[in-house]
Amino acid sequence: MMELRLLLTGFFLFSCASPPTPKPVVIPPTKKTNPELVQETLFSRGYMSGYEIWDTLRRNPSEKEVLDSFGLPDSIWLDELESTKFLYYFISEMQDYNTIEISTKTDSVSGFEWD
């Protein structure tokens, strides 16, 4: 009888526990929101060729590595499921936006479109 009470008490306590709360998605700053954080990078200095950009991104670097290599994005968009951050970089010479997708689960590159 005592074991049954312990079992029921344990079941009650564990069934009343709140579900784990997901960690909040942290959006990095942009050039516009934090201009004081803008620094020169290999990319902004023009030291990265198209191949080096592709080679860097295909290795799925972390968001920090992306920001260190490419600098702050011009804008950021978070999808409706909060699973992917889209970092947009405007290339003025081409009048074109390039996109780097960051997975919020792995905090690394999950896709990109770079001209």
Side-chain angles (χ1 to χ4, degrees), residues 1-106:
M1 189 63 154
M2 182 66 158
E3 289 113 11
L4 182 58
R5 257 190 229 165
L6 286 174
L7 181 64
L8 290 175
T9 302
F11 179 72
F12 176 73
L13 289 175
F14 286 110
S15 66
C16 292
S18 62
T21 56
K23 72 177 193 177
V25 176
V26 177
I27 302 293
T30 64
K31 291 177 185 174
K32 191 174 190 173
T33 61
N34 292 81
E36 71 279 0
L37 297 178
V38 174
Q39 297 179 0
E40 283 198 352
T41 63
L42 290 173
F43 174 71
S44 68
R45 290 180 184 153
Y47 294 156
M48 294 180 82
S49 68
Y51 175 77
E52 289 168 323
I53 292 168
W54 175 81
D55 190 48
T56 298
L57 294 175
R58 77 173 179 86
R59 289 184 268 129
N60 302 339
S62 69
E63 180 179 297
K64 182 184 179 332
E65 292 172 310
V66 168
L67 296 175
D68 288 346
S69 297
F70 296 92
L72 297 179
D74 293 286
S75 64
I76 300 172
W77 180 70
L78 181 64
D79 72 348
E80 63 276 353
L81 299 176
E82 295 189 351
S83 63
T84 305
K85 296 181 239 181
F86 296 87
L87 282 58
Y88 294 100
Y89 290 87
F90 183 70
I91 310 301
S92 57
E93 297 83 24
M94 299 171 64
Q95 293 294 302
D96 187 34
Y97 275 100
N98 293 284
T99 309
I100 300 174
E101 300 171 18
I102 305 288
S103 167
T104 58
K105 291 180 181 82
T106 64

